[in-house]
Amino acid sequence: MLISFGLKDVGRVRSINQDYFFISEGPVGNLPNLFMVADGMGGHKAGDLASEYTVSMVREAVSKSMQTNPFQILKGAVQYANQKLLEKSRESLEYTGMGTTLVIATVDQDRQIAYVVNVGDSRLYKVGTSMVQITVDHSLVEEMIHLGEISKEAARNHPDKHIITRAIGVSERVDPDYFDTTFSSGESLLLCSDGLTNMLEDKEIAGVMSGPGTPEEKARRLVLEANSKGGRDNIAVVVIEQE
């Protein structure tokens, strides 16, 4: 059985929350469950619209999909959401240039597999005996790490760390990454925006996630700790546990 909890927080600096999340422990269309975190970008009101609208469009597309393969369902849904957000951005000058990151998970409990899709730098971690980042950030600093130009430690404070290389709603086609990972009893998943990962190091996140408490208690503790470190951005987290 899956138990989950989602939470978003405006943080200590921003006045508008551009993060959004969605949780369904029950079926959505042909998917057994659905979890999402999105981090919007754009001017006043555009970023929060982008994240919420994208999540809504993914949910709509998943509900209508006739596909049965999780990745095929999500691939179609992400492309649909991307197109709909592009159309929305043309409705008003206020919306020009808006976009959003997106990380999605669905869990096949019978096969004990989590299927994951991401665009941008919102992440999914799996926590068991250790914590592993399943997604790979679509960001300038991640590319620099991959090329060996900077270390992962140096990337945390790099001046260009906010620059993402892929997002929903910025071009006619979007190129998500797809991952699957085993997910069995006693393990947990964390979906989160960079408002969490920019404030807390992985070892700090792992300390909360592997510690005691319910998904709700862990989600609230993560947000509290991110805010205690400065809360410079909006924060969104979804914690999923499998009993």
Side-chain angles (χ1 to χ4, degrees):
M1 186 173 95
L2 295 181
I3 302 174
S4 63
F5 187 81
L7 182 65
K8 64 175 186 171
D9 190 272
V10 72
R12 295 286 173 84
V13 175
R14 303 289 179 89
S15 59
I16 295 174
N17 197 336
Q18 298 187 327
D19 286 3
Y20 198 75
F21 72 87
F22 173 81
I23 287 177
S24 177
E25 294 173 3
V28 179
N30 287 331
L31 293 181
N33 43 65
L34 185 61
F35 306 91
M36 293 185 268
V37 164
D39 179 358
M41 57 192 185
H44 184 73
K45 283 292 179 185
D48 55 336
L49 173 66
S51 58
E52 182 174 355
Y53 188 73
T54 295
V55 166
S56 175
M57 290 300 99
V58 170
R59 183 182 178 187
E60 177 184 308
V62 168
S63 299
K64 294 177 179 178
S65 177
M66 302 301 289
Q67 300 282 346
T68 55
N69 178 282
F71 283 148
Q72 290 300 319
I73 294 170
L74 293 174
K75 180 179 181 180
V78 169
Q79 297 296 341
Y80 175 78
N82 183 68
Q83 192 58 45
K84 296 299 286 186
L85 189 61
L86 272 173
E87 292 171 8
K88 178 65 74 173
S89 71
R90 294 171 185 141
E91 290 180 4
S92 167
L93 283 175
E94 289 185 331
Y95 301 158
T96 301
M98 71 178 178
T100 185
T101 69
L102 183 65
V103 59
I104 312 173
T106 185
V107 178
D108 185 329
Q109 291 179 266
D110 293 334
R111 298 180 66 194
Q112 295 192 324
I113 296 176
Y115 299 91
V116 182
V117 179
N118 83 296
V119 179
D121 61 357
S122 291
R123 296 178 179 176
L124 182 139
Y125 292 91
K126 182 175 79 168
V127 185
T129 54
S130 61
M131 188 175 81
V132 180
Q133 182 180 335
I134 302 300
T135 54
V136 177
D137 294 353
H138 299 141
S139 67
L140 186 61
V141 293
E142 186 65 37
E143 291 183 1
M144 294 166 72
I145 293 169
H146 181 71
L147 292 170
E149 294 176 0
I150 59 171
S151 67
K152 200 168 181 67
E153 292 70 30
R156 287 192 59 81
N157 298 305
H158 196 279
D160 294 332
K161 66 182 295 183
H162 65 286
I163 299 175
I164 58 174
T165 54
R166 299 186 212 174
I168 303 286
V170 298
S171 60
E172 289 295 332
R173 294 292 296 175
V174 64
D175 186 21
D177 280 342
Y178 302 87
F179 306 89
D180 59 68
T181 181
T182 56
F183 182 50
S184 50
S185 179
E187 295 183 319
S188 57
L189 300 176
L190 168 66
L191 292 77
C192 61
S193 65
D194 68 346
L196 180 75
T197 55
N198 284 341
M199 293 293 98
L200 301 180
E201 295 184 17
D202 280 7
K203 63 183 180 182
E204 295 173 304
I205 295 171
V208 174
M209 288 296 295
S210 60
T214 63
E216 177 177 355
E217 289 168 337
K218 291 177 182 179
R220 293 192 183 282
R221 199 172 303 134
L222 287 169
V223 170
L224 187 66
E225 291 199 11
N227 277 326
S228 73
K229 292 292 181 70
R232 291 192 299 269
D233 199 355
N234 307 148
I235 309 154
V237 297
V238 170
V239 178
I240 309 163
E241 291 189 351
Q242 179 148 247
E243 290 190 325

